[in-house]
Amino acid sequence: MAVTIKQISELSGVSRGTVDRVLNGRGHVSPEKDALVRQVAKQLGYQPNMAGKALAARKKSYTIGVLLCSEGNPFFEEVIRGVRAAEKELADFGVQVRLHTRKGYNDVRLAEEMRTLAKDLHALVLTPVNSPLIADEINALTDAGTPVVTVNTDIEGSRRLCYIGSDYAAGGRVACGMLRLLTGGTAHLGILTGSLKVLGHNQRIAGFREVMKKSCPGFTLSELETTEDDDIIGYENAKRMLHANPEIDALFLAAAGVYGVCRAVQDFRRESPPKIVCFDATPPVRELMQANIVQAAIDQQPFRQGYDSVQTAYQYLLTGTPPKQDRILMENQIVIRESFLR
């Protein structure tokens, strides 16, 4: 026999209206009652009426916002293509997707854009800055009934619905292993990351350092610098780093700005240029691989990140049921020059 809202209401000690709002993702319920209702529904084996919900969804239009810190970063071209693919598939169900892009990691400006964009949304897909201010904004949206899916990078201290993206720490560990193979286990390292405000970038470096400490006694870190995911900043900071540390013979590029960093490496004109491992097989990175400037990249399935984030937000709006996994992780894939030979 199907479990009813009345049964869940009686067992959890809250009104039927509260149960309905929780199970259908309509918000305006305290986090404590939300958790209680979901726990009771799970214990009773409640299953939403998918056919009825799908029929109702065709009668109701949902608007999903997508806010990406993506401008100037070629990686996000594939993320956006995934977003658009999901949008096309969901159009028949009355779903509209509003895509907004921005540059940089200023948390105050991002919070302002979130508030402005969220006024007419049913759900938000977001690349967050790892900041208490942004966590508070996510929590406020969640409490108001607007679920937030974080994509590509996550955030600490928020009640976001779920995270969809790569396992950054695992990627950092793989990158260190690749550099160990490329250098024979002895190297003077330079690390250039995107931003210290991005949780994923910090997790990637932590993963790298973990393997470096455990398995690479011949590695010495000369300097760590940022690119702010920008080729011009990447060029300037890499140029300064290389001149200040001429011993550097290996580079780990933990985020975007790869083309600018590699231009600095070329301008430095050393007889034996550093071995380079980076992330994301974007068109510029593929060109750098063909020129043997970058030796390996780690891809994180950007199309799937964009596609899955929109689809996950929609499924939650449709069913009111959170994803089974709190973190939906993409596979890290090693890419080398020969990966593109046909």
Side-chain angles (χ1 to χ4, degrees), residues 228-250:
E228 299 301 322
D229 283 347
D230 182 273
D231 283 321
I232 295 175
I233 296 174
Y235 173 84
E236 294 296 338
N237 287 347
K239 181 180 178 181
R240 186 204 55 74
M241 176 190 287
L242 292 170
H243 280 280
N245 304 276
E247 76 281 0
I248 288 177
D249 53 12

Side-chain angles (χ1 to χ4, degrees), residues 53-306:
K53 285 180 178 292
L55 182 62
R58 288 182 178 270
K59 298 178 181 179
K60 180 179 180 179
S61 61
Y62 289 115
T63 302
I64 299 174
V66 180
L67 180 54
L68 305 176
C69 301
S70 61
E71 292 180 13
N73 186 346
F75 163 80
F76 278 95
E77 292 174 10
E78 280 295 293
V79 177
I80 291 171
R81 194 169 71 85
V83 167
R84 292 307 189 194
E87 176 186 27
K88 185 176 180 180
E89 289 184 11
L90 295 174
D92 288 343
F93 295 92
V95 176
Q96 297 181 359
V97 175
R98 295 180 184 172
L99 174 65
H100 293 256
T101 63
R102 63 186 308 278
K103 187 177 180 66
Y105 300 108
N106 184 300
D107 59 348
V108 175
R109 292 179 183 174
L110 178 59
E112 291 172 353
E113 292 177 37
M114 288 172 65
R115 285 192 291 271
T116 300
L117 179 61
K119 289 178 181 178
D120 301 313
L121 297 181
H122 296 94
L124 176 64
V125 174
L126 172 73
T127 52
V129 173
N130 191 35
S131 153
L133 176 62
I134 301 304
D136 288 345
E137 290 296 328
I138 291 174
N139 293 340
L141 287 173
T142 300
D143 291 343
T146 304
V148 178
V149 174
T150 56
V151 63
N152 185 247
T153 188
D154 207 359
I155 183 172
E156 297 169 313
S158 84
R159 296 195 302 277
R160 50 96 174 117
L161 179 64
C162 69
Y163 161 66
I164 297 176
S166 73
D167 185 333
Y168 278 84
R173 291 192 289 269
V174 171
C176 190
M178 290 298 298
L179 273 179
R180 184 183 63 216
L181 293 174
L182 288 166
T183 62
T186 302
H188 294 280
L189 292 167
I191 296 178
L192 289 110
T193 189
S195 171
L196 299 178
K197 297 178 181 179
V198 175
L199 178 62
H201 297 174
N202 294 332
Q203 290 172 331
R204 212 170 255 168
I205 292 171
F208 188 96
R209 287 180 181 272
E210 177 187 333
V211 173
M212 179 176 163
K213 181 179 180 180
K214 184 184 301 182
S215 306
C216 305
F219 278 9
T220 301
L221 178 59
S222 296
E223 188 174 348
L224 187 151
E225 186 53 273
T226 62
T227 66
E228 299 301 322
D229 283 347
D230 182 273
D231 283 321
I232 295 175
I233 296 174
Y235 173 84
E236 294 296 338
N237 287 347
K239 181 180 178 181
R240 186 204 55 74
M241 176 190 287
L242 292 170
H243 280 280
N245 304 276
E247 76 281 0
I248 288 177
D249 53 12
L251 290 172
F252 169 42
L253 311 185
V258 173
Y259 184 80
V261 171
C262 289
R263 286 299 308 169
V265 169
Q266 290 174 290
D267 288 353
F268 199 51
R269 298 184 183 278
R270 278 178 39 177
E271 185 176 337
S272 298
K275 303 295 184 183
I276 299 177
V277 171
C278 70
F279 277 80
D280 307 318
T282 62
V285 168
R286 294 184 184 197
E287 292 180 10
L288 293 164
M289 282 185 172
Q290 293 302 322
N292 201 32
I293 298 168
V294 169
Q295 281 66 53
I298 301 167
D299 196 56
Q300 51 179 327
Q301 300 178 275
F303 178 90
R304 269 199 60 199
Q305 292 189 33

